Amino acid sequence: MTVVGIDAHKDWHTLVAVDEVGRRIKELTVEARAAGHRKIMTWLEAFEDVTVAVEDCRHLTRRLEADLLESGHRVVRVHTRLMAGMRRSSRERGKSDPIDAEAVARVALREEGLPTAELPGASRDIKLLSDHRRTLVARRTAMQSKARWFLHEIDPELEIPSRALRRYHLLDELIEYLEPVEGAVAEIALDLLVDIRELTVRINALESRLSRLVRSSHPSLVAVPGMGTLGAAMIIGETAGITRFRSRDAYARFNGTAPIPVWSGNKVRVRLSRGGNRTINTALHMAALTQIRMGAEGAAYYDKLIAAGKTRKEALRLLRRRLSDRVYAAQRADVVPAVQAPASDGPLESPTIEEPASSMTLIAA
């Protein structure tokens, strides 16, 4: 078996091939262009059983990964943290592109279960559209804040309800009101309101498009109580393929809902995870609050924890972990037939979560 590690840069890619015991066999440096990618495909033909490992920098390697996958190669991604640790433990001191590429290859040779690259699909489209919508919403929010102060300066008696500067009829009325008003303040406020209206049209169009994509590709996830299409889009985009997680516990660790063990002795103690994917964690938090407010399936579990003596924060954290498992099962149901689901993960329809053992103590981070 041969493992080829790739250290990718914007203009150059360096490849190092190692054998089954990690000895360097060959080395290649090519331009990060289409011609360079073709050289890589030709170079890889010299190896019979080859696995390609790339440092997980998808903004640099996405085009190369696609070319490798279309050529039939297996591509795995190596996190920068793992690569850096391997480089420090190497007998060859220093840092260079060949050293980094060799470290990537040795990590892929040593580690099992590394994320496997796949060709872009609906999940990437959902992520791109969801991120773009959030960017537009942030831009609109900044404009709304500035417009409110200008409107207050023009007429302090104008009362604009909270979150109302995204309603078409109100924006049209304010634009019509400001058109005859003279002065630089009124001119700037008018420009801001026109831009806000245009952004609102684009944001609503993106939301409708996301809703169609999410409902068609992940119906089970949208069916989770408290989960809206925007929250589901955030989860789908950041998860980037649920099949790359071996279990619901691995997924909980990825999104930061799994506690971290911090004991040394025979008394089990854990603390909250401050890491993980905070975007997914936020979507799970919003879904948990919605379930509690609406009295959905998580509300009874939350009330049970409160009755057992948990604080509201503790109960909400446990519900968030429960939702993580529910979301994991729903995503697997959308992409994997039920018969192929791991038995250890429980039923896909309604997974149950065991309550923490009485000997486990949760301490603040």
Side-chain angles (χ1 to χ4, degrees):
M1 182 184 68
T2 303
V3 178
V4 175
I6 301 178
D7 182 51
H9 294 275
K10 182 179 179 181
D11 295 322
W12 297 93
H13 295 326
T14 300
L15 293 79
V16 170
V18 301
D19 60 15
E20 63 275 4
V21 295
R23 291 176 299 195
R24 185 183 298 190
I25 303 173
K26 289 185 178 181
E27 178 183 329
L28 175 70
T29 298
V30 299
E31 284 188 297
R33 303 291 185 269
H37 293 182
R38 288 193 292 270
K39 290 180 182 178
I40 291 175
M41 306 309 155
T42 303
W43 188 72
L44 291 175
E45 293 176 358
F47 309 105
E48 294 183 1
D49 182 13
V50 60
T51 296
V52 181
V54 298
E55 187 179 357
D56 197 354
C57 301
R58 270 165 265 187
H59 58 291
L60 294 173
T61 62
R62 197 176 296 279
R63 180 67 259 170
L64 176 59
E65 287 181 5
D67 290 342
L68 289 167
L69 292 170
E70 289 172 356
S71 298
H73 294 289
R74 179 174 180 266
V75 182
V76 298
R77 295 181 177 132
V78 175
H79 196 280
T80 305
R81 180 183 67 255
L82 297 175
M83 184 209 70
M86 177 62 70
R87 188 180 64 237
R88 286 193 298 270
S89 64
S90 175
R91 296 177 63 184
E92 184 177 2
R93 301 188 64 180
K95 184 183 185 302
S96 66
D97 291 352
I99 291 175
D100 287 348
E102 185 176 354
V104 171
R106 287 181 174 176
V107 170
L109 190 64
R110 181 192 67 186
E111 299 289 338
E112 296 182 359
L114 290 173
T116 302
E118 298 178 355
L119 289 173
S123 62
R124 184 168 186 239
D125 292 341
I126 291 173
K127 174 175 173 53
L128 291 174
L129 292 173
S130 178
D131 290 347
H132 184 50
R133 180 190 172 277
R134 288 205 301 272
T135 301
L136 295 182
V137 169
R139 190 188 306 172
R140 183 182 65 177
T141 301
M143 290 183 178
Q144 288 171 337
S145 178
K146 183 175 290 188
R148 280 182 176 275
W149 284 111
F150 284 144
L151 291 171
H152 180 75
E153 180 180 345
I154 293 169
D155 187 355
E157 295 184 0
L158 274 178
E159 294 185 4
I160 303 175
S162 176
R163 306 177 70 180
L165 283 181
R166 55 184 179 181
R167 302 175 188 168
Y168 294 133
H169 70 89
L170 178 61
L171 291 170
D172 292 338
E173 291 177 2
L174 289 173
I175 291 172
E176 184 180 357
Y177 170 75
L178 290 176
E179 283 179 348
V181 181
E182 297 180 354
V185 174
E187 181 181 349
I188 296 173
L190 182 60
D191 287 344
L192 287 172
L193 292 174
V194 171
D195 290 342
I196 290 170
R197 195 186 192 288
E198 292 177 354
L199 281 175
T200 302
V201 172
R202 295 167 60 187
I203 289 169
N204 291 342
L206 281 173
E207 186 171 343
S208 299
R209 186 177 176 186
L210 277 171
S211 179
R212 293 192 298 270
L213 281 173
V214 171
R215 292 183 183 279
S216 62
S217 62
H218 291 75
S220 299
L221 180 60
V222 180
V224 174
M227 183 65 64
T229 55
L230 295 179
M234 293 165 61
I235 290 174
I236 295 166
E238 296 298 324
T239 299
I242 194 64
T243 54
R244 68 192 182 99
F245 298 98
R246 65 181 181 274
S247 67
R248 62 190 183 189
D249 297 328
Y251 186 63
R253 183 179 180 182
F254 171 75
N255 60 44
T257 57
I260 299 175
V262 289
W263 83 84
S264 178
N266 59 1
K267 185 176 181 181
V268 178
R269 291 167 65 89
V270 298
R271 69 169 177 83
L272 298 176
S273 173
R274 300 297 183 184
N277 189 295
R278 308 316 296 174
T279 302
I280 297 179
N281 200 288
T282 299
L284 294 173
H285 182 78
M286 293 189 298
L289 292 177
T290 303
Q291 285 193 357
I292 295 171
R293 185 177 67 251
M294 298 177 59
E297 66 177 28
Y301 178 71
Y302 176 82
D303 294 337
K304 178 183 176 182
L305 293 173
I306 294 296
K310 299 289 185 183
T311 66
R312 294 186 180 275
K313 284 187 178 181
E314 290 171 340
L316 185 59
R317 290 165 187 158
L318 291 170
L319 176 57
R320 195 159 60 233
R321 170 58 195 272
R322 188 173 192 260
L323 264 172
S324 171
D325 295 348
R326 180 77 167 85
V327 164
Y328 171 82
Q331 290 184 88
R332 288 195 63 88
D334 288 327
V335 298
V336 181
V339 295
Q340 297 180 5
S344 61
D345 286 337
L348 292 179
E349 290 78 8
S350 180
T352 57
I353 311 302
E354 296 182 0
E355 295 184 24
S358 57
S359 60
M360 182 174 291
T361 303
L362 185 66
I363 63 175

